[in-house]
Amino acid sequence: MKYIIFLLLFTFAYAQPLPLTLQEKQIIQIHPLTCISTGLWAPFNLLEDNKLVGIGFDYWDLIRERLGIEDGCKTANNWTQVLDAIKNKTADMTIAAQATPERLKYAVFSKPYAKYPMVIATKNNVGFIHDIELIRNKVIVMPKKYATTAILLKHYPHLNIKFTDSIDHALSLVEKGEAFATIDILPVIAYKINKNNFETLKISGSIPEYFSVGIMLRKDYAMLVPLINKAIDSITKEEKNAINKRWITIHRQQEIPRKYFYALLASALFVFTFFSVWLLLLKKEIIQKNRTEKKLKKLVNIDSLTGIFNRHMLDATLDNEIALVQRHGNPLCVIFFDIDDFKNINDRYGHKVGDSILKELSKLIAKTIRKSDVFGRWGGDEFLLILLETKEEDALIFAVHLDKVIQKHHFKQDISISCSFGVTCYKNGDTRESMMSRVDKYFYNKKNENNRIF
């Protein structure tokens, strides 16, 4: 009964028809809309008493009332049926979706009527995740064909993602310990954890991506998009707050005796104050910890003379990339090189000049390589370049290019230098040791033959 009164007041106060031109009214009359949705994406679309309701339907009710569009939406068994219906034109629209490259082939989208952050759900014993790279090698479960999954695959293709049928299934796998995390937008995760009593789960972090929700229509109904956008623009901040308050906040229908109310309120204020102070201190501690970790990482991973990666970091990176190659099958090559007759430079000009040459060469190579390449000092005057997603012929071409860049460069005190290069690529069964042993062998055998690139 309370919900019915709220809905009537809400509709009376806000859902007033928009002033439409005769042409706009004709467009709506000529294109009656057949809506389709699932009841599987709470709190945006869900079934209550065999009726589709949720955040998306509250927004759609405002839009259709203002445009004079008739009510009614048929229920699909899953999201694939919704997409197929719009693609095959057996339905005209759905009320909560985000544009993806695949969907834009057969559909058009309104402007977003809501925008929400994407968050990471894990077990309670997991600490704060301030960077998604921290869970790069963990199993992340995501519903297949969801727009949130498409966003994650686009921006973080290196993540270890496994597919499920639904977000409920994904959360259950995390709860059972069969997956480390799942990712979805804040309202969905918050609603599902509370509604389904996932007591061992929590929101442990967020990613810098947002999910924009709008109306999705079949492509030949594009003329309706400006009208729907006009209705979306008319939705007030108060209306949006009312919708979010109803669906994102979990209300419990339970009366609290008045004599306990003020005691509970005082306790709540105390707890709120305590946790506010605790969060501020925790934030300060995390910032200090991050600064310390950055300094330690620099000391451990950076060569003190040249400022590029050191042998320790190169070993760890090569081990990690070989593991990824073994999993995904992408090409991987390394270029090993040193400075020809570097001992003579030290003997003739002194070690101070030699160090200057090493630093200048490091800066030159760092400017020349791609951002995805990993470059470091192997030791002495020896350097290693790890080329990701690179085939052998391309690695050889790039070694020749580096050779030309170095020979053309005028180093300080007009010293000219040249380098000798060795190239090898990952082969089945390779380890870091076998790859470096092979490139080292190629390198020194050919160097003895006075061949500088091989």
Side-chain angles (χ1 to χ4, degrees), residues 178-302:
E178 296 177 22
F180 181 79
T182 188
I183 298 173
D184 209 317
I185 57 179
L186 176 60
V188 173
I189 294 293
Y191 185 91
K192 293 289 186 181
I193 288 178
N194 285 280
K195 191 73 173 178
N196 298 327
N197 293 319
F198 287 120
E199 295 180 356
T200 64
L201 301 186
K202 69 171 185 176
I203 295 173
S204 297
S206 63
I207 64 174
E209 311 298 337
Y210 284 80
F211 188 90
S212 300
V213 190
I215 306 297
M216 176 182 180
L217 301 99
R218 49 190 267 195
K219 203 163 191 176
D220 56 337
Y221 274 36
M223 69 289 296
L224 286 169
V225 171
L227 294 174
I228 292 174
N229 287 343
K230 185 176 180 180
I232 290 172
D233 288 336
S234 72
I235 298 174
T236 66
K237 184 178 180 180
E238 291 76 14
E239 290 173 299
K240 292 182 178 181
N241 289 340
I243 293 172
N244 287 333
K245 184 177 180 181
R246 179 178 171 226
W247 291 105
I248 299 178
T249 303
I250 304 298
H251 294 282
R252 299 196 179 278
Q253 301 298 321
Q254 183 177 357
E255 293 294 329
I256 301 175
R258 184 174 293 274
K259 65 180 181 178
Y260 297 125
F261 175 78
Y262 293 109
L264 288 172
L265 180 61
S267 299
L269 288 172
F270 172 78
V271 171
F272 175 78
T273 303
F274 173 80
F275 277 103
S276 295
V277 173
W278 179 75
L279 285 172
L280 286 173
L281 293 174
L282 181 62
K283 184 178 180 181
K284 185 177 180 180
E285 183 181 341
I286 290 171
I287 291 171
Q288 184 60 41
K289 182 181 177 183
N290 289 340
R291 287 174 181 169
T292 304
E293 286 180 351
K294 285 180 181 178
K295 289 179 182 178
L296 289 173
K297 283 181 181 178
K298 188 172 182 180
L299 289 173
V300 173
N301 299 325
I302 302 299

Side-chain angles (χ1 to χ4, degrees), residues 338-351 354 358 380-381 447:
D338 73 355
I339 301 174
D340 296 328
D341 299 320
F342 185 66
K343 184 177 182 301
N344 291 335
I345 294 175
N346 279 331
D347 292 343
R348 182 176 178 184
Y349 298 100
H351 286 278
L358 291 173
D381 65 323
K447 190 162 186 173

